Amino acid sequence: MTETFPGNNTTASLSNNMCGIFGSKDFKTYEKLYSHNKKRGNFSYGSLYVTKNKEIYQQKHRGVYDMTGEYTYAPEEYQWFLGHTQAPTSSQREFTPRTSHPFEDIYYIVAHNGVLENSEQIEEDILIAHMNPVDSSVIPAMLSTILEFDEDIIYNEIVDDATKTSELIAMEKTCNTLKGTFGCFVFLGVSFRPPGRPLVATAGFASEFRSE
């Protein structure tokens, strides 16, 4: 995996906009979706591109990102383009890769739009070693923790309902625990089934999606 984190720290004031999440299988469409979502957050831009070989390329940039020139290689190598524009919900924050979307933890990469009301409680009760101050970061951490340590619970639920997968159970348990507002793209990089599949596909991601 290649990660690009350019730029110096910057400070942004509180925005009235929520973040934007968007994605497409076509890069030209993805560019248009990014332009549409700039108004939802120009503090930072994060992306996740997935190749046809299921390799991933992740970028995090402060401010607005210029995509000029990316089209020359992107369509040939990549099959999924997922993006996030960030509008911080705190009154003031410095840009750092660690506190910018998308967030990654073992199995999952997640970008989130919304505000979680119980992230601190989740850290105290479930994710004791979690150190990232951004509420969104608990989502991939919790998903991975459930897959890693709740094997018996997952197995029993699959026995009771053969239509469920371990990933679906982890998603259900995470969503049922979270309180607040949240819309996400979730990418599962390592799995008990063939890896490298964005879980938004199971929720109706045909060719593109974006925040409204």
Side-chain angles (χ1 to χ4, degrees), residues 21 48 82 102-103 107-112 139-140 143 167 171 174-175 183-189 193 196-202 205 209:
I21 53 174
L48 176 66
L82 307 173
F103 294 98
Y107 302 111
Y108 290 90
I109 301 174
V110 174
H112 166 234
I139 300 175
L143 287 165
E167 297 88 358
M171 188 74 73
T174 297
C175 289
C184 308
F185 76 62
V186 178
F187 181 82
L188 180 61
R193 63 184 175 186
R197 182 177 179 182
L199 296 189
V200 286
T202 64
F205 174 32
F209 69 95

Side-chain angles (χ1 to χ4, degrees), residues 50-56 79-80 187 189 194-197:
V50 185
T51 72
K52 296 174 182 177
N53 295 323
K54 305 301 185 290
E55 297 173 346
I56 61 176
Q79 62 176 340
W80 289 311
F187 181 82
R197 182 177 179 182

Side-chain angles (χ1 to χ4, degrees), residues 142-143 146 169-179 182:
M142 189 169 181
L143 287 165
I146 292 171
I169 293 168
M171 188 74 73
E172 288 179 344
K173 288 185 174 298
T174 297
C175 289
N176 288 336
T177 302
L178 297 174
K179 294 180 181 180
F182 50 94

Side-chain angles (χ1 to χ4, degrees), residues 104-106 108 110 126-127 130 136-146:
E104 183 175 3
D105 193 292
I106 307 178
Y108 290 90
V110 174
I126 302 172
L127 307 174
H130 188 72
S136 306
S137 66
V138 305
I139 300 175
M142 189 169 181
L143 287 165
S144 293
T145 297
I146 292 171

